[in-house]
Amino acid sequence: MGKINILDSSIYNRIAAGEVVERPASVVKEFVENALDARAENIAISIERGGKDMILVTDDGSGIGREDLRAAFLPHATSKIARAEDLDVIRTLGFRGEALASIASVANVRIRSRAAGAAEAFELSCSGGKMGEIVPCALGGGTEIAAENLFFNTPVRAKFMKSDKGEEGEISNIVARFVLGNPRVAFRYHIDGKLALQSFGGGEDEALAAVYGGNTLSQCYKIDAQKHGVCIRGYLGNPAFTKANRTYQSTFVNGRYVINNTLGSAVANAYASYLMKRQYPLYVLYIDIPPEIVDVNVHPNKSDVRFENNQVIYGCIYSVISAVLDGNASALEYVVGAKKEDSAAPSESYTKAREESGSVSFPKGEPGDDNASDRKADVCAAEGAERPRGVSVGGARTESSAGLFDFAKPSQMKGGALLEFRDSAAREREARDAQGDAVFLENKRYLEALEQKAKQQKLLLERAEYRGCLFNTYLIYEEGEDAYLIDQHAAHERLIFDRLREEMEARKVVRQPLLVPYVLSVNREEFSFLYENAEKIREIGFEFEEFGENSFKVSAVPLDLQDIDLRSFFDELLREVGSLRGIRLSEVLRDKIAMSACKHAVKGGMILTEAEKEKLFEMLRGDMGLKCPHGRPVAVKLSKHEIEKMFKRIV
């Protein structure tokens, strides 16, 4: 019997769903893309329990005829392309033809549609890949498609989904991109029956305001440029209008939202001179290029594209954005409303925006430009110049690590020597076991030596005597033939830090109510991120609760952190949005506790009384191996032997 099996469609569609249908947001993406390809002008999206229970998308597009309904659920069935040549000039969002079949294989899908000019509408259901009968239904026009009980027949996939709020945030992110990328289409987005987002198809300004708020427009440069056949339109946030993460950045290539390294690097390097570390600009860019020079068929869920010439695309985007941010004369050609017909001077709005941004122009490569080397490499790439060997975009090294390790080839086994081989294998196994035992013992001795050394470094002073103070900062103690210099600030800082951390871990935090509650406004993705981690934030002493749409209210903070900068604290938390890591609350909190400890500790140069010095030494309990929260040593040991060597008493 042969070992190769020809899989049934119910199996290979579920396998394909693993790449196409990652989560409920993938289903929303496919449904809405089909609606847009059908030239819909009004699209309504509804979800329940983060899309796990139900996803419903209704549009007023061209619809599907009765004769095509059954074919729509077949694998590799599409109305977008017919020949291989069509792949070279893709102008639609969907074209692969496997999405609907994959979704129907892992969910209960129902589609109702009425083709343009048809007398009646028809309905077809498909559950787990099994299609029902086509029956007439009531529908005014367009298409209504629903997916219920996602992953009902693949419980393993369902187990790896996020919480309801987490999946809801992913979908909200996708919907926001659709609103931004299709400003002439009206969208209505409902979450569990409640309207969460709405746009009216009034254009790009309205779409930006619907997603990010009306005040965002006043913080952005609106650009419209054309360079080397590449059209670049959209909005660039001024350098003072920064965000804590990249969720406020959107790039659309021929109407398709993509995450592309070439485009992202071009924008990031153009902004590099104006932003501090871990600050990110807001931007929405629409890039239109001839479809024959871009390949959209490079990713299973079409989230990335490949350009025929990355250098040209990079150079066009980098030069346009740099000109706008630098305030070059050419920016007048790019910024909408910046050029007056009767004057070459910038308009008042553009000048005011640049003044408010606080940006300062200076030539690339001048002193103070930390990114000069990176930019030089990037400009070389953009202009097609030869790049220095071993350097890539951003200054990353590209040297090969081949040849670092050599592996012995396995010995060949002679035919008919099975018994000999087994004996040999047994001897080799025994030898390996003996060698492993030896290695284990050696490692054990090494670890014991490290532990002993650590114990020696953790000096317990019992009979140390105070001998004086240097520079009102370093306390001098003597014990036997050793002298110790203790940094009074580092020591006190570490003691305060340990106390605060113990209180946090023991949940004995005293809260300090705020006179005026702090309101934190975020986007949908950030909201779901903080909602999932709200309990962790409360555990460390914050009174933290939902407050209206996409907002949280902080009513109290830990007493020991009453001077905390809440905006900075939450910016640190939100830097992890969109990453694979969970919230770094413990790391961020540690930094804030360390900062508070540093602020409240005695400073270097302060004169301490004898009682204060004695109390500080007593609190240390003789532990001279401590370090302050920032990693500096609390104490330094000088032996009599080391001191005599300094004075050449001994050689």
Side-chain angles (χ1 to χ4, degrees):
M1 182 177 178
K3 295 182 179 180
I4 297 178
N5 303 315
I6 306 300
L7 298 179
D8 184 77
S9 61
S10 62
I11 300 176
Y12 64 66
N13 278 337
R14 286 167 67 176
I15 295 173
E19 289 189 350
V20 179
V21 190
E22 294 181 357
R23 51 181 14 101
S26 306
V27 178
V28 174
K29 178 177 182 291
E30 296 296 340
F31 286 175
V32 176
E33 284 182 349
N34 286 337
L36 293 169
D37 285 341
R39 293 184 171 82
E41 295 181 354
N42 295 275
I43 299 175
I45 306 160
S46 298
I47 64 170
E48 293 180 4
R49 282 196 62 231
K52 299 174 185 178
D53 284 357
M54 190 271 293
I55 296 170
L56 176 66
V57 176
T58 306
D59 67 72
D60 60 353
S62 57
I64 304 174
R66 185 185 190 282
E67 65 279 5
D68 289 330
L69 273 180
R70 192 171 295 275
F73 284 101
L74 297 177
H76 312 300
T78 178
S79 62
K80 317 299 172 58
I81 62 173
R83 303 172 303 165
E85 291 77 14
D86 295 339
L87 291 172
D88 298 330
V89 285
I90 296 293
R91 298 181 182 276
T92 57
L93 298 177
F95 59 90
R96 289 174 177 266
E98 82 274 31
L100 194 54
S102 299
I103 295 169
S105 68
V106 294
N108 298 322
V109 179
R110 183 193 72 248
I111 185 169
R112 295 173 178 171
S113 190
R114 182 175 181 176
E120 58 182 335
F122 294 91
E123 175 183 328
L124 175 62
S125 297
C126 186
S127 178
K130 297 179 181 179
M131 282 185 277
E133 296 297 325
I134 299 176
V135 296
C137 67
L139 189 69
T143 301
E144 176 188 285
I145 185 167
E148 299 177 341
N149 299 324
L150 188 62
F151 300 128
F152 77 96
N153 58 352
T154 53
V156 175
R157 295 293 307 280
K159 184 174 65 176
F160 285 95
M161 282 197 289
K162 296 181 179 180
S163 66
D164 294 351
K165 281 292 182 182
E167 296 296 346
E168 177 187 304
E170 295 282 348
I171 295 174
S172 299
N173 182 36
I174 290 288
V175 174
R177 262 57 185 203
F178 277 124
V179 172
L180 292 172
N182 303 273
R184 294 297 174 184
V185 178
F187 286 88
R188 281 183 295 116
Y189 173 45
H190 288 83
I191 300 175
D192 297 326
K194 182 180 178 182
L195 182 64
L197 178 63
Q198 183 171 14
S199 69
F200 300 93
E204 294 169 355
D205 288 0
E206 183 192 275
L208 187 74
V211 174
Y212 295 132
N215 64 331
T216 304
L217 283 168
S218 62
Q219 301 290 337
C220 295
Y221 307 127
K222 186 175 182 179
I223 64 171
D224 190 349
Q226 185 168 353
K227 197 161 189 175
H228 303 307
V230 179
C231 297
I232 307 169
R233 299 177 295 108
Y235 303 88
L236 300 173
N238 72 59
F241 189 57
T242 58
K243 299 297 180 181
N245 52 65
R246 293 187 174 89
T247 60
Y248 293 82
Q249 301 176 353
S250 302
T251 307
F252 302 89
V253 176
N254 293 347
R256 182 189 306 276
Y257 172 68
V258 298
I259 301 174
N260 180 269
N261 287 334
T262 299
L263 304 178
S265 297
V267 181
N269 289 330
Y271 270 98
S273 296
Y274 301 99
L275 302 181
M276 296 178 64
K277 186 178 180 182
R278 293 188 296 178
Q279 288 185 339
Y280 304 95
L282 178 149
Y283 62 81
V284 178
L285 293 177
Y286 307 94
I287 300 170
D288 297 317
I289 60 178
E292 58 269 15
I293 66 172
V294 58
D295 185 3
V296 300
N297 192 26
V298 297
H299 197 279
N301 51 25
K302 299 163 291 188
S303 62
D304 195 3
V305 295
R306 182 183 294 129
F307 300 107
E308 183 179 301
N309 192 322
N310 285 328
Q311 294 178 350
V312 171
I313 301 298
Y314 179 98
C316 291
I317 296 173
Y318 176 83
S319 60
V320 168
I321 297 178
S322 292
V324 173
L325 298 179
D326 293 346
N328 294 345
S330 57
L332 300 177
E333 302 290 337
Y334 305 148
V335 178
V336 175
K339 184 177 181 181
K340 296 182 180 180
E341 295 182 0
D342 56 348
S343 173
S347 68
E348 294 181 3
S349 60
Y350 178 55
T351 304
K352 184 179 179 181
R354 284 195 51 76
E355 290 175 352
E356 291 178 352
S357 72
S359 58
V360 179
S361 302
F362 52 83
K364 306 296 182 295
E366 289 290 319
D369 186 358
D370 295 335
N371 299 54
S373 60
D374 290 349
R375 287 171 176 249
K376 184 176 181 180
D378 295 329
V379 171
C380 287
E383 297 177 354
E386 183 179 355
R387 188 185 304 280
R389 185 177 180 182
V391 179
S392 62
V393 174
R397 302 295 301 177
T398 59
E399 296 174 356
S400 172
S401 59
L404 292 179
F405 302 98
D406 293 323
F407 296 91
K409 296 182 180 179
S411 58
Q412 298 180 352
M413 185 179 69
K414 298 180 180 180
L418 182 59
L419 183 60
E420 181 182 350
F421 172 74
R422 287 177 177 172
D423 292 340
S424 175
R427 288 194 298 270
E428 289 179 4
R429 186 165 56 252
E430 291 175 0
R432 283 197 303 269
D433 292 343
Q435 184 180 5
D437 292 340
V439 172
F440 173 77
L441 292 174
E442 184 179 350
N443 288 341
K444 184 179 180 180
R445 286 193 295 270
Y446 177 71
L447 293 174
E448 288 175 350
L450 286 180
E451 185 177 356
Q452 184 65 26
K453 184 177 180 182
K455 289 180 179 179
Q456 292 175 355
Q457 290 177 345
K458 189 176 182 180
L459 303 167
L460 298 177
L461 304 185
E462 297 177 352
R463 297 179 299 277
E465 297 182 14
Y466 176 68
R467 294 302 187 188
C469 181
L470 288 175
F471 317 121
N472 291 328
T473 301
Y474 304 103
L475 309 179
I476 306 174
Y477 286 85
E478 178 185 349
E479 185 187 49
E481 294 192 348
D482 296 320
Y484 299 90
L485 299 179
I486 299 177
D487 185 332
Q488 64 185 30
H489 172 72
H492 196 205
E493 183 182 356
R494 175 56 189 259
L495 295 172
I496 296 176
F497 173 80
D498 286 344
R499 177 178 60 81
L500 295 179
R501 186 176 59 180
E502 288 173 3
E503 290 178 356
M504 292 287 184
E505 292 175 351
R507 306 290 186 264
K508 296 179 180 178
V509 183
V510 179
R511 290 185 172 92
Q512 170 66 52
L514 297 177
L515 184 62
V516 178
Y518 176 79
V519 177
L520 175 69
S521 298
V522 293
N523 63 26
R524 271 282 169 188
E525 194 171 358
E526 293 171 330
F527 180 87
S528 64
F529 182 80
L530 291 175
Y531 182 90
E532 286 186 325
N533 293 279
E535 191 57 37
K536 295 180 182 178
I537 298 174
R538 296 188 188 102
E539 286 176 357
I540 63 176
F542 290 89
E543 284 189 10
F544 186 73
E545 58 186 343
E546 292 182 59
F547 187 69
E549 189 72 18
N550 293 346
S551 297
F552 290 95
K553 180 176 68 174
V554 181
S555 303
V557 299
L559 179 62
D560 290 312
L561 299 179
Q562 57 183 314
D563 297 329
I564 190 173
D565 183 343
L566 288 172
R567 178 72 256 181
S568 173
F569 175 76
F570 285 104
D571 277 352
E572 286 287 339
L573 296 185
L574 292 173
R575 294 193 200 287
E576 301 305 319
V577 174
S579 72
L580 297 177
R581 297 178 59 185
I583 194 167
R584 297 183 307 116
L585 190 56
S586 60
E587 297 177 32
V588 175
L589 184 62
R590 185 191 185 283
D591 292 342
K592 299 304 177 185
I593 295 176
M595 188 178 299
S596 177
C598 183
K599 185 180 297 185
H600 292 91
V602 296
K603 302 298 185 290
M606 291 179 62
I607 301 176
L608 303 183
T609 64
E610 295 300 320
E612 289 172 334
K613 295 173 185 177
E614 184 176 343
K615 182 64 176 177
L616 179 61
F617 185 76
E618 180 184 340
M619 291 168 65
L620 283 172
R621 293 189 287 273
D623 190 350
M624 299 294 101
L626 292 175
K627 294 183 182 296
C628 85
H630 302 101
R632 294 190 299 107
V634 166
V636 174
K637 171 187 172 183
L638 288 175
S639 66
K640 180 180 179 182
H641 180 79
E642 290 172 327
I643 295 174
E644 289 185 339
K645 283 193 70 174
M646 292 179 190
F647 288 97
K648 307 298 182 183
R649 286 181 171 268
I650 60 176
V651 180

